[in-house]
Amino acid sequence: MYAHQELDPEASHVAHELGKYRLSLDIEQDPYVLNMRSDPDSFKVGLLSKALLGRKTYCQEQLKMLHTRAQIIEQELGIWAVYWYINACVRKLQIRGGDDHVELQLLDNTEISYLAQSLSTFLLDIPKQRLSSLDHKFLSTKVLCLIDFLIHHQAPSFSGLIFVRTRAEVAVLSELLSIHPDLSRFYTISTFVGASTSGGRKANIGELVDVRSQINTLDDLRAGRRNLVITTSALEEGIDVPACNVVVCFDNHMNLKSLIQRRGRARQSKSTFAIMFAESDDPSTLSTWEQLEENMRKLYEDDMRQLAELEAKEAVDEGDRVFVVEKTGAKLLLADAVSHLFHFCATLPGRQFVNSVPIFTFEATEVKQGKELVTAKVTLPISVDASVREACGLSAWITEKAAQKDAAFIAYLQLYNAGLLSDNLLPTQVYDEAIEAVKTDVGKVASLVTVKGQLNPFSEVARQWQAMGESAHLHCFEVILCRNDDSTVSMQMLLPCDLPFIPPLTLYWDSCTTFTVSVHRSSCIPFSPNHTEAVKQSTTLLLSTVFRSRINTAKTDHVALFTPSAHEDPAEWAARYTGTLSGKSLDKINVSALSLSKLGIVRDLTNNAIPCILRGFASTTDGIVADPERPEHDNASLILEVSRFPKRTDFLHPVPVLGQNTAKRNNRKLLRPKDCEIDKLPTDYAYFAAALPAVLHRVGVRLVAIRLCDTLFPTVAFDQLDLVVTAITASAARESTNYQRQEYLGDSVLKFLTSLTLISEHLRWHEGILSQAKDHIVSNASLAKAALAVGLDEYIQTKAFTGSKWRPFYMSDLLETPADEPRELSTKTLADVVEALVGAAFLHGGFDKAIAILRIFLPRLPWSEVDERNGTLLASAERASVTCPPHLAQLEQLIGYDFKCKSLPLEALTHSSYIGSNVTTSYERLEFLGDVCLDIIVSTASFNHEPAIPTHGLHLLRTAVVNADYLAFLCLKLSISTSRANVVTGKTVDDISLSDTVVPIHIWQFLRHASPTVRKAQLECKKRYEQLKDHILELLQSGDHIPWALLARLDAPKFYSDIVESVVGAIYIDSHGSLAACEAFLQRLGVMDYLRRLLAGGVALYHPKEKLGQVADTETVKYEFFRAEANADAESKLACKVWIGEREIVMVGDGISQIEIETRAADEALKVLKEEKRRTRL
């Protein structure tokens, strides 16, 4: 009980004076009135009249609210308290809440200036000593009584609550007690108020308690880190408050319910429950409370037996609640519901700064047999979909424990019905036993699986030959060989089937000579057995010129037939050119008039009749051993200059240049006519025959691609066969192209379409399930399984063409010989080909074609058109009910995009620790979508760059641009400027003025959270950013390498990069799937400009660790981490040594994280090795 206090006449009536001062302000100078009068578009007579007559403006309402609160504070806490409160509100306006209060920062500048100037003027009359002193004459006797009470109850085990009436009193009383010299040494004080705020309401200048700072208040009280909490009625009920040993009702305006609930907070043994009264209060009031306390005690004692009976019945009732899944028999018992719910929350995606647990609140309802019953409500973490985030128990219970089980039971059923639990009543897991088995086998090396042998397309051609009837037609193709001397030779190729377009083929004859082969569709001719037999003979003749030892003279059933031209009889042609001429016959020919191309291959009889090319004639025997049997005068007879026909048969791959500048001259040889034979078939046809293995190989690959499209992908309708050929060709095949670049693009397209399908199909799935499902679908094991399921394996080209073992294709062999022997392929190769085919489909026809091919490989997923998926996401976002906050317009200005659906930017900037209203869910789902949007934008831009970037370079580029450290830096950097009115204090207390200051507002400041650790992390990261930003920017803009070490040194928490990705996701949904709109934001952010700079070249892309591994070559790189010794007053810092083999290269210290110091150590090691190399050269 405290004595009634007469206020100091000199210091009293501050609140009254504030009220008079508010009414004295000229309403015509109010920013709202000035704006209404100056802006014709907003001029409305009714609103202006209301503002003038009723002083209904934002500024007047704020001053009125401040006056009301000041009256309460002055009466309850004293003069010092009201002075401090008004001054604190002014300070809040002066700094606009710092980085904590974006809402204040973004108020209308004129309103801020007006309020700050008005209150500062009012404060000029306040003696400053009253603000700097806790003189008891400036404190209420009620506060002094409370101070004496707290001094008297000091104890090591103290744990208490103080209930006050208003949120303003919470702020002021906590400050007062925290700085009081007799209390500050013992009491560690925190605050707790209700979190009910309206997101659409303008900022309240009198609100000094930040609800985000109280998220850990109760945990701190429970753990002993805090021992006194100042609170309002928010802690009376519904929240799990630790048992206290002291509860003080500073506010005695209670009803019976409040008394019971507050008394229940003092649950420790020998606890104290105090209610503060003034001596002047009506004595009957105290007697009433004492009588109520006594009645409560008696009621408790009298009803213990009834309570035991009810609790026993309640335990029986609990046992009757059970839910059974018929499909699996899984059961949910009421007794197990709480533990199951905690387990579900524990499986939510782990987030730094967030404690993912269900929160139970309780509410007293009815009274049963003299005992008040309670119901429970459970709220799950904000990352859970809003439709199932809250659940209430169905019944009222005697104990909070039973009510908690009831609410948990209902919540768990809601999760099951929403698809967030499996039929085993466990958190949803995306699992496939076959895929997991493959994953298990993978280990560190790609798993090898046995697959079909590589398809030989000419087997199908042989079957088509076999099925030829009298009415059938043959397809004719003109094959033209162009040599680099512009000479050409052409022949007709006859097949029973049509061929797709065959691109011109370059043949590498030797290190300096290339040929070109082109294939053109000619005509169709009726099938004639006689004509076909003649063409078989001409084909055998053609191949025998070069492949005499490889052909089977007993067989002529070639699968590909060749004839000289459509107008020449093949039988006559074969008869004319079959056989050889003796070299001696050249003596009787006028060789000077003879064209070398008309002569055939020269066969050296002195060397196993190897084929040679006739290069010219000579009439000297220089270099030839004289023939003793030949007359002397014959020494001047004709001599043949020849070069050996190439032994190599692989003309598809370039010949390495090994300094053979004289290869042609050294390969020449002189032959006597008697030592050789000459084929009748001209040499041009020998060149043509030599090219046939390569030509038929390329034709075969195209036939494989055609058959793949016709067999597996008829619904895709590929008409760009080059893309398919590239997609099915592994690098091991050593073709001119392979799947690697298309696989890079297809990987990005697959992840994008998979993510879009999952997030739109499962609107209630949280990011953890979405990520797990996506990772499962796009995993190598999953894609390899899909490839084998559709039979893709036999179409994959892995055999390198060499020509060394090439043999002509005979129909009889192809029809009799079984398919190629099974082979082994890695699951990665199978998966890569699937992704390459997705990339091919995307290049051919965009997302529609890619979806068509995914329906074949992954038919279990509900693939639908991208536009339909975009519509589903937008419709879901539009159903969200949120109020547009006042600062949203400036957030949109910062992003550079005007949102039609205002819930999306709010969701994109809502951290999972946020507690409050005006929210749908936290940003994780948008981040999930934005990640793949960012990835496909960067991947397509890199892929389409000219000249084409090699595959490894594409991966390096993507890593450089989409890594979290770089995105976090851009997030920290993105800002707009706004002017702010500041109150400037001069040398004297009366010297106060206003000044406008231009300040930046960063996008990360809009992040909505309720975690002090997030705020602390923001401040620490901002400090590091200010120290590093200039150096990082310099390297990003003009450096010759990516600043990996500096970005790691920034050590930005993940939520910075999450903001970037979630905003991208929000723009994508709001724009109905416009990647161009997303790219515009990335351009504004700086991503696209930097990507273009990297694409232009001149910047080293390798991460220091990767580069160091390359430099070390076969030696092992080892990083040794340890804590460096520090002074007694300093915390030890992380250090790292880099070893290559057995040699220590460098040691660095002052690390802030293992990743940061590892990156920096690798960077420093590279510098050391580079300097060592430079010195070695010197």
Side-chain angles (χ1 to χ4, degrees):
M1 186 172 291
Y2 56 91
H4 178 72
Q5 180 185 26
E6 292 295 334
L7 296 177
D8 182 351
E10 296 182 5
S12 63
H13 309 305
V14 176
H16 178 68
E17 292 299 322
L18 178 60
K20 289 172 57 180
Y21 177 74
R22 177 182 76 86
L23 296 175
S24 70
L25 293 173
D26 185 0
I27 192 65
E28 288 288 347
Q29 300 303 313
D30 190 284
Y32 178 76
V33 175
L34 291 174
N35 181 59
M36 291 284 285
R37 290 197 183 281
S38 63
D39 185 359
D41 293 335
S42 65
F43 184 84
K44 297 179 181 178
V45 175
L47 292 177
L48 181 61
S49 175
K50 183 179 179 180
L52 293 174
L53 296 177
R55 307 184 78 88
K56 297 292 186 180
T57 70
Y58 170 74
C59 291
Q60 282 290 319
E61 291 295 324
Q62 288 295 299
L63 291 172
K64 182 179 179 180
M65 175 273 303
L66 204 64
H67 168 229
T68 302
R69 293 183 177 182
Q71 286 180 309
I72 297 173
I73 291 171
E74 184 176 311
Q75 178 181 353
E76 292 290 297
L77 305 179
I79 301 302
W80 179 92
V82 74
Y83 285 159
W84 182 89
Y85 177 66
I86 297 173
N87 194 62
C89 293
V90 172
R91 287 200 308 272
K92 178 181 176 181
L93 284 169
Q94 290 173 351
I95 63 174
R96 301 217 185 167
D99 292 330
D100 284 319
H101 299 280
V102 175
E103 293 85 353
L104 266 185
Q105 290 193 32
L106 302 179
L107 278 181
D108 189 316
N109 231 24
T110 57
E111 292 177 330
I112 286 290
S113 301
Y114 181 80
L115 287 170
Q117 186 173 22
S118 299
L119 289 174
S120 298
T121 301
F122 176 75
L123 284 175
L124 291 175
D125 296 329
I126 298 179
K128 300 303 177 186
Q129 66 271 17
R130 292 176 183 167
L131 287 172
S132 59
S133 169
L134 278 179
D135 192 319
H136 284 188
K137 74 176 183 177
F138 298 132
L139 300 178
S140 69
T141 54
K142 189 174 183 180
V143 167
L144 295 176
C145 181
L146 175 64
I147 292 172
D148 290 340
F149 176 87
L150 292 174
I151 292 173
H152 176 74
H153 283 81
Q154 288 181 3
S157 60
F158 182 92
S159 175
L161 301 174
I162 299 178
F163 286 96
V164 298
R165 193 190 326 175
T166 66
R167 297 160 73 99
E169 289 175 88
V170 170
V172 179
L173 187 59
S174 65
E175 174 68 17
L176 192 157
L177 298 181
S178 296
I179 65 175
H180 194 283
D182 295 332
L183 301 178
S184 59
R185 294 190 301 268
F186 180 77
Y187 291 102
T188 53
I189 301 172
S190 58
T191 61
F192 193 95
V193 297
S196 57
T197 58
S198 172
R201 196 178 300 156
K202 277 191 175 182
N204 190 333
I205 66 171
E207 184 62 66
L208 299 181
V209 178
D210 184 2
V211 295
R212 294 178 295 180
S213 65
Q214 66 186 33
I215 188 170
N216 294 322
T217 293
L218 299 183
D219 287 338
D220 290 343
L221 182 64
R222 187 178 292 107
R225 293 185 291 270
R226 302 279 179 173
N227 58 10
L228 180 59
V229 176
I230 315 297
T231 184
T232 60
S233 58
L235 285 186
E236 284 184 355
E237 62 176 328
I239 298 177
D240 185 15
V241 179
C244 300
N245 53 27
V246 174
V247 174
V248 178
C249 296
F250 191 81
D251 163 35
N252 61 19
H253 295 79
M254 296 177 291
N255 54 28
L256 179 59
K257 177 181 177 181
S258 295
L259 174 65
I260 295 172
Q261 290 169 337
R262 292 185 182 185
R263 184 66 184 88
R265 296 308 184 194
R267 297 196 299 269
Q268 291 188 19
S269 61
K270 299 181 181 180
S271 61
T272 298
F273 180 70
I275 304 175
M276 299 192 68
F277 296 96
E279 292 177 347
S280 59
D281 285 349
D282 187 349
S284 64
T285 303
L286 178 59
S287 300
T288 300
W289 293 119
E290 290 175 342
Q291 184 61 46
L292 285 173
E293 180 76 9
E294 178 63 20
N295 290 342
M296 287 173 55
R297 185 185 63 79
K298 288 182 177 180
L299 181 63
Y300 175 79
E301 293 174 350
D302 293 343
D303 289 348
M304 283 301 295
R305 179 184 56 78
Q306 296 181 18
L307 178 60
E309 293 175 356
L310 288 172
E311 288 180 342
K313 183 178 182 300
E314 192 171 78
V316 173
D317 291 340
E318 288 183 24
D320 294 337
R321 295 281 294 279
V322 61
F323 171 76
V324 180
V325 180
E326 293 184 5
K327 183 178 180 180
T328 62
K331 294 182 180 180
L332 173 65
L333 302 177
L334 187 66
D336 299 329
V338 174
S339 61
H340 283 327
L341 197 60
F342 270 88
H343 173 67
F344 170 82
C345 291
T347 63
L348 295 174
R351 294 281 171 177
Q352 195 178 10
F353 314 115
V354 178
N355 184 18
S356 294
V357 295
I359 297 176
F360 291 89
T361 55
F362 305 92
E363 181 178 358
T365 55
E366 56 187 292
V367 176
K368 184 176 182 181
Q369 297 184 15
K371 177 64 178 179
E372 188 175 57
L373 304 182
V374 296
T375 58
K377 174 183 175 181
V378 61
T379 303
L380 303 182
I382 198 172
S383 58
V384 177
D385 185 75
S387 64
V388 292
R389 190 179 304 142
E390 295 181 348
C392 297
L394 297 180
S395 306
W397 303 84
I398 298 170
T399 63
E400 290 184 355
K401 182 178 180 181
Q404 182 186 44
K405 294 177 183 179
D406 187 13
F409 189 89
I410 299 302
Y412 213 67
L413 286 184
Q414 288 184 175
L415 294 174
Y416 174 74
N417 293 327
L420 299 177
L421 300 175
S422 68
D423 286 333
N424 292 315
L425 293 178
L426 296 173
T428 296
Q429 299 284 328
V430 181
Y431 183 83
D432 186 301
E433 291 184 0
I435 291 175
E436 294 302 320
V438 175
K439 286 183 180 179
T440 303
D441 294 339
V442 170
K444 295 183 179 180
V445 181
S447 174
L448 293 177
V449 292
T450 300
V451 302
K452 295 177 183 177
Q454 185 170 307
L455 176 68
N456 185 342
F458 291 106
S459 296
E460 178 61 26
V461 177
R463 284 189 285 271
Q464 292 181 10
W465 274 113
Q466 189 180 40
M468 293 291 287
E470 292 182 359
S471 60
H473 285 73
L474 292 176
H475 295 265
C476 301
F477 303 89
E478 185 179 16
V479 182
I480 304 173
L481 173 69
C482 296
R483 295 161 58 188
N484 54 357
D485 59 359
D486 294 330
S487 61
T488 63
V489 59
S490 67
M491 296 193 77
Q492 292 285 319
M493 178 171 63
L494 275 61
L495 291 171
C497 58
D498 195 10
L499 288 181
F501 168 73
I502 309 293
L505 176 63
T506 298
L507 301 181
Y508 301 90
W509 188 255
D510 56 34
S511 59
C512 359
T513 308
T514 58
F515 297 167
T516 302
V517 178
S518 56
V519 180
H520 307 279
R521 185 180 287 106
S522 178
S523 62
C524 286
I525 62 173
F527 171 71
S528 168
N530 294 333
H531 179 265
T532 303
E533 285 301 321
V535 176
K536 290 179 180 179
Q537 296 299 325
S538 64
T539 303
T540 301
L541 172 62
L542 178 68
L543 294 175
S544 65
T545 59
V546 178
F547 305 107
R548 182 176 294 181
S549 62
R550 301 187 186 187
I551 64 173
N552 186 341
T553 56
K555 292 185 177 183
T556 59
D557 56 338
H558 302 281
V559 75
L561 301 180
F562 293 88
T563 186
S565 70
H567 306 292
E568 188 168 1
D569 184 82
E572 294 180 0
W573 183 85
R576 183 167 64 251
Y577 290 122
T578 298
T580 61
L581 298 174
S582 169
K584 295 179 181 180
S585 62
L586 290 176
D587 289 337
K588 303 174 183 179
I589 299 175
N590 182 6
V591 295
S592 61
L594 186 65
S595 172
L596 295 180
S597 62
K598 299 298 184 182
L599 296 176
I601 290 294
V602 176
R603 302 196 180 271
D604 184 359
L605 300 179
T606 66
N607 189 11
N608 298 318
I610 63 170
C612 298
I613 303 171
L614 180 61
R615 298 297 183 184
F617 299 98
S619 57
T620 175
T621 57
D622 292 346
I624 300 179
V625 178
D627 186 351
E629 298 180 359
R630 186 166 186 153
E632 192 66 27
H633 66 274
D634 286 342
N635 286 343
S637 297
L638 189 66
I639 301 298
L640 282 71
E641 184 178 3
V642 299
S643 63
R644 181 167 180 172
F645 200 88
K647 292 177 62 177
R648 62 189 296 266
T649 51
D650 176 14
F651 300 113
L652 286 178
H653 303 101
V655 179
V657 179
L658 302 175
Q660 299 176 1
N661 295 328
T662 59
K664 287 187 176 181
R665 185 176 67 252
N666 294 338
N667 194 32
R668 298 296 176 91
K669 181 178 181 180
L670 299 177
L671 285 177
R672 297 187 184 95
K674 76 179 186 69
D675 294 331
C676 62
E677 290 180 344
I678 302 174
D679 288 353
K680 290 182 180 181
L681 187 66
T683 303
D684 282 347
Y685 289 106
Y687 286 116
F688 189 94
L692 283 183
V695 173
L696 291 176
H697 171 75
R698 284 295 171 84
V699 168
V701 173
R702 308 293 284 194
L703 288 173
V704 169
I706 281 289
R707 183 171 176 185
L708 172 63
C709 293
D710 293 343
T711 306
L712 300 188
F713 309 136
T715 58
V716 181
F718 272 114
D719 56 21
Q720 296 184 27
L721 203 61
D722 287 344
L723 295 173
V724 180
V725 170
T726 298
I728 62 175
T729 305
S731 57
R734 296 182 61 224
E735 294 292 333
S736 58
T737 183
N738 61 60
Y739 63 61
Q740 291 179 345
R741 274 176 46 86
Q742 284 183 195
E743 178 270 330
Y744 164 85
L745 181 62
D747 171 75
S748 182
V749 173
L750 172 62
K751 288 176 179 175
F752 173 79
L753 291 176
T754 301
S755 299
L756 182 62
T757 298
L758 290 172
I759 197 173
S760 59
E761 185 72 16
H762 304 283
L763 296 173
R764 291 177 173 176
W765 276 12
H766 57 74
E767 182 268 337
I769 303 177
L770 291 171
S771 292
Q772 185 192 40
K774 183 197 75 172
D775 293 344
H776 166 88
I777 292 166
V778 305
S779 68
N780 285 345
S782 173
L783 297 180
K785 179 184 177 184
L788 294 173
V790 301
L792 177 65
D793 48 336
E794 66 177 330
Y795 297 95
I796 299 175
Q797 306 294 296
T798 57
K799 291 182 179 178
F801 174 78
T802 63
S804 60
K805 296 183 179 180
W806 185 85
R807 297 291 184 274
F809 295 125
Y810 297 107
M811 287 186 285
S812 54
D813 294 340
L814 292 170
L815 294 173
E816 295 172 3
T817 306
D820 282 3
E821 292 293 324
R823 53 182 169 157
E824 286 190 332
L825 288 181
S826 70
T827 53
K828 184 179 187 310
T829 297
L830 290 165
D832 286 351
V833 173
V834 172
E835 291 177 330
L837 285 166
V838 173
F842 177 73
L843 291 171
H844 180 207
F847 289 126
D848 289 343
K849 289 286 187 183
I851 290 172
I853 205 167
L854 286 174
R855 286 179 177 141
I856 296 168
F857 282 118
L858 302 168
R860 289 193 295 177
L861 265 71
W863 303 104
S864 58
E865 303 306 317
V866 169
D867 191 62
E868 180 183 341
R869 291 296 179 188
N870 295 336
T872 300
L873 290 174
L874 182 57
S876 175
E878 289 173 341
R879 287 193 295 269
S881 177
V882 296
T883 306
C884 183
H887 64 268
L888 184 58
Q890 213 150 5
L891 172 61
E892 291 176 325
Q893 180 187 353
L894 200 159
I895 294 173
Y897 179 86
D898 293 329
F899 286 90
K900 296 178 285 295
C901 181
K902 303 302 183 182
S903 67
L904 287 168
L906 291 182
E907 182 178 333
L909 272 298
T910 300
H911 190 262
S912 51
S913 67
Y914 179 71
I915 297 176
S917 59
N918 206 36
V919 64
T920 53
T921 187
S922 51
Y923 61 57
E924 285 82 7
R925 278 175 55 91
L926 289 179
E927 175 217 341
F928 170 81
L929 179 61
D931 173 70
V932 291
C933 292
L934 171 63
D935 185 86
I936 198 167
I937 289 171
V938 171
S939 296
T940 52
S942 303
F943 183 90
N944 293 328
H945 182 264
E946 293 292 343
I949 306 294
T951 309
H952 187 58
L954 290 173
H955 287 285
L956 291 175
L957 280 166
R958 182 162 61 187
T959 301
V961 174
V962 305
N963 75 86
D965 289 339
Y966 173 64
L967 295 179
F969 175 79
L970 296 182
C971 179
L972 285 158
K973 176 174 164 287
L974 182 62
S975 66
I976 57 173
S977 296
T978 186
S979 60
R980 178 173 83 186
N982 287 329
V983 178
V984 180
T985 305
K987 295 182 179 179
T988 65
V989 294
D990 297 331
D991 185 8
I992 297 178
S993 61
L994 289 174
S995 68
D996 284 336
T997 304
V998 176
V999 296
I1001 298 179
H1002 297 81
I1003 189 170
W1004 58 267
Q1005 292 175 271
F1006 290 83
L1007 182 67
R1008 302 195 299 174
H1009 66 88
S1011 170
T1013 52
V1014 169
R1015 175 64 187 145
K1016 180 181 178 183
Q1018 287 177 329
L1019 292 175
E1020 291 174 348
C1021 188
K1022 180 182 178 183
K1023 182 179 179 181
R1024 293 192 296 272
Y1025 169 77
E1026 294 297 335
Q1027 294 171 345
L1028 299 171
K1029 68 175 181 178
D1030 291 340
H1031 193 185
I1032 292 176
L1033 277 174
E1034 179 185 359
L1035 290 173
L1036 291 177
Q1037 293 169 0
S1038 58
D1040 61 357
H1041 66 281
I1042 296 173
W1044 294 108
L1046 290 174
L1047 290 172
R1049 184 76 174 171
L1050 186 61
D1051 195 32
K1054 187 177 180 295
F1055 58 73
Y1056 286 102
S1057 60
D1058 289 347
I1059 289 173
V1060 173
E1061 294 174 339
S1062 62
V1063 169
V1064 171
I1067 293 173
Y1068 179 84
I1069 294 176
D1070 190 76
S1071 64
H1072 203 278
S1074 171
L1075 289 173
C1078 299
E1079 185 173 336
F1081 169 66
L1082 296 175
Q1083 174 67 39
R1084 182 178 181 85
L1085 196 64
V1087 171
M1088 303 311 295
D1089 281 341
Y1090 190 53
L1091 175 60
R1092 283 187 283 271
R1093 179 168 184 262
L1094 298 181
L1095 287 169
V1099 180
L1101 302 177
Y1102 282 99
H1103 190 278
K1105 285 186 63 181
E1106 186 177 4
K1107 186 65 177 177
L1108 187 60
Q1110 292 179 348
V1111 172
D1113 198 12
T1114 58
E1115 293 189 278
T1116 302
V1117 179
K1118 183 176 69 173
Y1119 297 88
E1120 179 185 344
F1121 302 98
F1122 59 96
R1123 289 282 177 181
E1125 295 182 1
N1127 298 329
D1129 298 333
E1131 182 182 356
S1132 61
K1133 292 286 187 177
L1134 194 63
C1136 178
K1137 290 181 180 180
V1138 178
W1139 298 77
I1140 296 182
E1142 301 298 322
R1143 184 165 72 106
E1144 180 183 333
I1145 304 298
V1146 73
M1147 185 191 81
V1148 296
D1150 194 29
I1152 60 176
S1153 71
Q1154 182 168 318
I1155 294 177
E1156 179 271 331
I1157 199 167
E1158 186 179 42
T1159 304
R1160 189 154 48 91
D1163 197 40
E1164 292 299 320
L1166 284 171
K1167 293 177 182 177
V1168 170
L1169 296 177
K1170 184 177 180 180
E1171 178 62 20
E1172 288 180 354
K1173 187 175 181 180
R1174 185 188 68 82
R1175 291 179 180 177
T1176 301
R1177 285 199 301 265
L1178 293 177

